[in-house]
Amino acid sequence: MKPSVRPVEKPVSPVVYVVDDDISVREALSSLIRSAGLRVETFSSAREFLGQSSSSAASCLVLDVRLPDQNGLALQRELAAIDNQIPIIFITGHGDIPMSVRAMKAGAMEFLTKPFHDQELLEAIHQAIKQDTESKAQSLKTTELRNRYETLTQREREVMGLVVRGLLNKQVASELGTSEITVKIQRGKVMQKMRAGSLAELVHMAETLGIIRG
């Protein structure tokens, strides 16, 4: 029998979400974004957008400030409350400086007042997609590190915590009331389970996990 070959998972292509209650604006933006080779999904309200299933794809949100059910700034706050960190590009025909300041302070990528240049929006979208791609990659890396850390025993975690703070094996042994040879063995298991090639790499992992501050 031939060994079964696991299919290679294709990376999910980025998607741009557009939320605007004006159908002509949705259609125009959809056409523009597709012309740049990007996937796009459109919604007429905040509720409709929140009701869609989540995706692992890198994404950004092109969001009208004025919507029929709740304004874009309220949706921004709601997304932040549920820890949805999707980059947001606000568009509006009725913007003012205080409104744009609030949006940017709350983490918006861009605040564009209609009419804006197509290229201006596309550049903001590409920047937002890049940011979300990097953010998701970092999040995936952190999750993988947490999974590795979960495989450590309680004593191995204690050893790791002391080692990454710069303590030598004999100092760790003294701190934990055990022998230096035992610490050496446990330290080796920590390096193996965390897949760390060096102490410096283990320290970086500890910083990523928040065990120590960088």
Side-chain angles (χ1 to χ4, degrees):
M1 287 179 65
K2 291 184 179 180
S4 59
V5 179
R6 261 179 102 181
V8 178
E9 290 185 12
K10 293 183 179 179
V12 185
S13 57
V15 57
V16 180
Y17 300 109
V18 175
V19 181
D20 196 301
D21 62 330
D22 187 328
I23 187 170
S24 63
V25 172
R26 292 200 304 274
E27 289 177 348
L29 291 178
S30 179
S31 177
L32 172 66
I33 294 165
R34 284 198 175 93
S35 73
L38 293 167
R39 286 196 300 144
V40 60
E41 294 183 23
T42 62
F43 305 89
S44 61
S45 68
R47 290 295 111 200
E48 189 180 346
F49 169 71
L50 289 169
Q52 53 108 24
S53 57
S54 60
S55 169
S56 61
S59 58
C60 73
L61 173 59
V62 177
L63 177 60
D64 191 13
V65 172
R66 294 192 174 183
L67 295 170
D69 50 354
Q70 68 180 107
N71 68 42
L73 295 175
L75 176 57
Q76 182 187 33
R77 289 193 296 272
E78 186 167 348
L79 290 171
I82 60 175
D83 199 30
N84 185 327
Q85 300 176 20
I86 184 170
I88 299 175
I89 300 164
F90 279 103
I91 56 174
T92 181
H94 312 277
D96 55 41
I97 292 175
M99 184 187 293
S100 63
V101 168
R102 286 201 305 276
M104 299 302 283
K105 278 187 174 180
M109 283 285 297
E110 188 60 88
F111 194 99
L112 302 176
T113 303
K114 302 172 186 175
F116 46 79
H117 295 295
D118 290 351
Q119 193 57 36
E120 195 175 6
L121 175 60
L122 290 177
E123 285 176 5
I125 286 173
H126 284 299
Q127 185 61 36
I129 292 290
K130 180 183 176 185
Q131 176 181 297
D132 200 47
T133 299
E134 293 171 352
S135 175
K136 279 183 165 56
Q138 183 58 45
S139 178
L140 188 63
K141 180 181 176 183
T142 302
T143 299
E144 186 179 339
L145 283 179
R146 283 203 188 98
N147 290 340
R148 293 181 201 172
Y149 186 71
E150 289 295 320
T151 67
L152 302 182
T153 65
Q154 183 58 39
R155 179 46 63 94
E156 286 166 356
R157 292 180 193 181
E158 291 170 351
V159 169
M160 177 177 171
L162 294 171
V163 165
V164 295
R165 286 173 174 83
L167 274 68
L168 301 174
N169 287 350
K170 61 181 179 182
Q171 293 172 315
V172 175
S174 175
E175 189 78 22
L176 297 177
T178 187
S179 68
E180 188 175 344
I181 186 65
T182 299
V183 169
K184 186 177 180 181
I185 293 170
Q186 290 167 337
R187 179 172 175 163
K189 287 182 178 178
V190 168
M191 298 292 284
Q192 181 183 23
K193 289 181 178 180
M194 293 302 295
R195 300 180 201 168
S198 66
L199 176 57
E201 190 176 353
L202 188 67
V203 169
H204 180 67
M205 290 176 177
E207 290 173 352
T208 301
L209 291 169
I211 296 170
I212 57 172
R213 293 185 179 181

